[in-house]
Amino acid sequence: MIDCQPSTSGGGEGKSADEIAFELAEGVIQSIIKKIYTDNAHPHLFKRDKKDRLPSLTTVLMQEVDRFNKLLALIHSSMNNLQKAIKGFVVMSEQLEEVYRAFLNNQVPIMWSSKSYPSLKSLGSWVHDLELRLDFICIWIEHYHPPSYWLSGFYFTQGFLTGTLQTHARKYDLPIDQLKYDFVMQKLFIDQELIKITHDAEKREVASAYGDLTVPLDGVLIHGLFVDAGLFDNLSMTLVDPNPGICMLRERGYAISHVKMCKCKKFKFSISSISVHLDVGILGKARTEVITT
């Protein structure tokens, strides 16, 4: 994991800003793969149906690979150029200067974030998160579909959601615009970091890393969703009030305990001080105002 060090140090014994930036660039180069290769892709990923169509989720996967590879090329190109600029081999351009300053402030360079998926993480956390995402995609390519998909790890989440609907539509010859999602919660918490640790140790997909999961015949299992203004209780299998100090929940109309379903918006990252109005439940079309803090 990359840790950003302070750009200045007391007593004159610390590393210079150039040394810190150079080492951080080297850390990125060593931590992040240069490219996702599909040469060793599992053959079943490309098994066509009776109408000679590739599986919808294979199309989603290949699109994810293309997006990540473009980002990886940009990252490694900028790191190599930054190191050359620090050594004086090339001119420190305005873009490289921005990368240099971002590194010293533990921030993701704009050069990367403008071409990347949405994220509010600091530099070290962002690089580690990218490692997790790349592991998720690479294992999927080599060892076929995972027991559960890490929804937070997709570059373009909407593509995956559409792909799952299209898979079901093709299987039962249904119009995709007539399909809607339904959800069945599982009594299991999956940590993607622990899954990557298993992948690193075994060099393959390991079903036991996902716990006691049974892959459904229709639909998919996902993990990586988080709830603001509430908690999910594994005993009652319902949404309950949040712990004190996390957020506020103000109800209008029917109380949440009186309804069966909760329709809420999904965000790719959390932003503090946002008010979101949700249509909650089936009974009475209750209105709930959620304020995150």
Side-chain angles (χ1 to χ4, degrees):
M1 181 180 295
I2 295 177
D3 293 321
C4 186
Q5 306 172 51
S7 57
T8 59
S9 57
E13 298 179 356
K15 296 178 181 178
S16 67
D18 282 357
E19 290 174 325
I20 293 173
F22 190 93
E23 290 183 4
L24 286 173
E26 185 63 27
V28 171
I29 292 173
Q30 297 300 324
S31 300
I32 303 301
I33 61 175
K34 293 183 178 181
K35 184 178 181 180
I36 300 175
Y37 293 95
T38 58
D39 299 343
N40 296 326
H42 196 286
H44 287 178
L45 287 173
F46 300 97
K47 186 178 180 180
R48 296 179 178 270
D49 62 13
K50 295 179 180 179
K51 296 183 179 180
D52 198 35
R53 298 173 299 189
L54 279 175
S56 299
L57 290 183
T58 296
T59 302
V60 172
L61 177 59
M62 293 301 104
Q63 291 173 346
E64 288 288 302
V65 170
D66 288 341
R67 295 185 184 101
F68 276 112
N69 277 341
K70 290 178 181 178
L71 177 61
L72 291 174
L74 176 63
I75 289 173
H76 281 278
S77 173
S78 61
M79 291 299 90
N80 290 329
N81 289 333
L82 178 62
Q83 288 186 324
K84 291 178 181 178
I86 291 174
K87 292 294 186 181
F89 298 143
V90 298
V91 176
M92 180 74 78
S93 66
E94 185 176 340
Q95 282 187 318
L96 290 178
E97 181 70 28
E98 189 277 324
V99 175
Y100 182 92
R101 291 195 303 269
F103 270 30
L104 297 181
N105 292 319
N106 196 22
Q107 297 174 342
V108 179
I110 296 176
M111 179 190 295
W112 298 358
S113 60
S114 62
K115 304 295 183 181
S116 178
Y117 41 83
S119 176
L120 298 178
K121 295 180 181 294
S122 61
L123 177 62
S125 298
W126 189 90
V127 171
H128 180 63
D129 179 69
L130 178 58
E131 290 183 78
L132 294 178
R133 291 170 185 258
L134 295 174
D135 173 75
F136 166 60
I137 295 297
C138 289
I139 291 295
W140 182 358
I141 291 173
E142 295 183 16
H143 301 283
Y144 204 44
H145 299 292
S148 177
Y149 296 87
W150 184 33
L151 197 63
S152 306
F154 283 95
Y155 203 112
F156 185 62
T157 313
Q158 294 92 322
F160 170 73
L161 297 176
T162 301
T164 58
L165 289 178
Q166 193 171 54
T167 298
H168 191 84
R170 289 180 177 181
K171 182 177 180 179
Y172 294 100
D173 197 21
L174 298 171
I176 190 173
D177 57 356
Q178 293 183 8
L179 298 179
K180 293 183 179 180
Y181 284 104
D182 193 11
F183 303 90
V184 179
M185 300 298 295
Q186 306 292 311
K187 291 186 176 182
L188 181 66
F189 175 79
I190 297 178
D191 187 343
Q192 192 65 29
E193 294 212 27
L194 297 180
I195 291 176
K196 184 180 183 301
I197 291 174
T198 304
H199 290 166
D200 291 341
E202 301 293 335
K203 306 301 180 184
R204 61 184 178 87
E205 186 63 281
V206 181
S208 60
Y210 296 83
D212 188 20
L213 280 179
T214 300
V215 178
L217 295 177
D218 293 320
V220 294
L221 294 171
I222 63 169
H223 60 279
L225 286 176
F226 300 88
V227 177
D228 275 341
L231 293 175
F232 189 82
D233 183 11
N234 278 345
L235 296 178
S236 64
M237 298 299 286
T238 58
L239 282 173
V240 297
D241 289 336
N243 290 330
I246 295 180
C247 53
M248 296 182 293
L249 182 65
R250 297 192 297 190
E251 299 176 1
R252 297 175 181 174
Y254 288 91
I256 289 182
S257 59
H258 295 166
V259 299
K260 297 180 180 180
M261 297 292 292
C262 177
K263 297 180 181 180
C264 57
K265 295 180 180 179
K266 179 183 177 298
F267 297 92
K268 290 189 175 182
F269 51 79
S270 62
I271 303 178
S272 60
S273 301
I274 285 186
S275 296
V276 183
H277 288 81
L278 309 175
D279 286 328
V280 178
I282 301 173
L283 302 179
K285 296 183 179 179
R287 297 286 293 178
T288 298
E289 182 178 3
V290 177
I291 302 177
T292 62
T293 58

